[in-house]
Amino acid sequence: HGAPTALVLSRQTLPHQARTQQQLGEIERGGYVLKESILKDNVVTPELILIATGSEVGLAMDAAVELESRGKAVRVVSMPSTDTFDAQPASYREAVLPKAVTKRLAIEASHYAYWYKYVGLDGRIVGMDGFGESAPGGDLFKHFGFTVDNVVEQAEILLMEVS
């Protein structure tokens, strides 16, 4: 008998995110900086951190590009394994999610409330907080705000709030 196999299906066709060798190495740390905050070709301290996992990473990247075109410094953190990330040394976690950057927005299709651990009380979450919803995937994602426009709008609101 062969080894057990698994077939993993995605909700949509996902754009492949290019990753450097360093980023590929950091995937196994559970969370890493996928896109650094850049303004006028310089890496700068982020004004906002977008945190995403799985199929939402592409959405975070698209929203970051739009926000940057509006002059915002946005870092994108990919968080494939929160448990692994939490087990990293504090210095690594701080390098990825600096405490000084309190404007944070998580984009996550499930486990909505769990993400407050990473965005803090002042952060925001674009996520599904309803259960038993049934509709075609694209419609559901629009219904729950999984669009670049909504992520950008939530980010803009967050950036306007006084810390």
Side-chain angles (χ1 to χ4, degrees):
H1 293 64
T5 58
L7 177 63
V8 179
L9 297 175
S10 166
R11 288 187 294 274
Q12 68 252 13
T13 355
L14 302 175
H16 176 72
Q17 301 299 327
R19 290 175 175 85
T20 64
Q21 279 306 113
Q22 179 180 344
Q23 289 170 327
L24 289 170
E26 290 174 346
I27 287 174
E28 54 194 49
R29 299 190 84 167
Y32 61 98
V33 177
L34 177 61
K35 184 196 162 312
E36 197 45 277
S37 48
I38 299 173
L39 279 185
K40 298 184 179 133
D41 297 327
N42 294 312
V43 174
V44 296
T45 302
E47 294 174 73
L48 171 77
I49 299 175
L50 296 177
I51 308 167
T53 182
S55 56
E56 283 69 64
V57 171
L59 177 57
M61 291 291 280
D62 291 345
V65 168
E66 174 61 28
L67 287 160
E68 268 186 3
S69 77
R70 300 179 184 194
K72 309 296 184 194
V74 181
R75 172 183 285 186
V76 176
V77 169
S78 176
M79 186 82 73
S81 172
T82 54
D83 290 346
T84 306
F85 181 75
D86 291 347
Q88 298 305 307
S91 58
Y92 179 78
R93 295 192 319 266
E94 173 66 18
V96 174
L97 294 174
K99 289 183 181 69
V101 183
T102 58
K103 311 260 183 206
R104 300 177 180 186
L105 177 62
I107 308 164
E108 167 56 44
S110 61
H111 309 298
Y112 182 87
Y114 179 83
W115 289 89
Y116 279 108
K117 174 178 183 176
Y118 300 101
V119 300
L121 296 176
D122 297 328
R124 288 176 168 254
I125 300 167
V126 172
M128 291 190 189
D129 51 4
F131 294 92
E133 299 284 352
S134 179
D139 296 345
L140 269 184
F141 272 69
K142 284 192 187 93
H143 171 76
F144 283 105
F146 288 93
T147 62
V148 171
D149 287 348
N150 183 54
V151 172
V152 167
E153 181 184 343
Q154 295 301 316
E156 291 278 18
I157 292 168
L158 192 54
L159 286 165
M160 285 189 291
E161 290 175 354
V162 179
S163 295

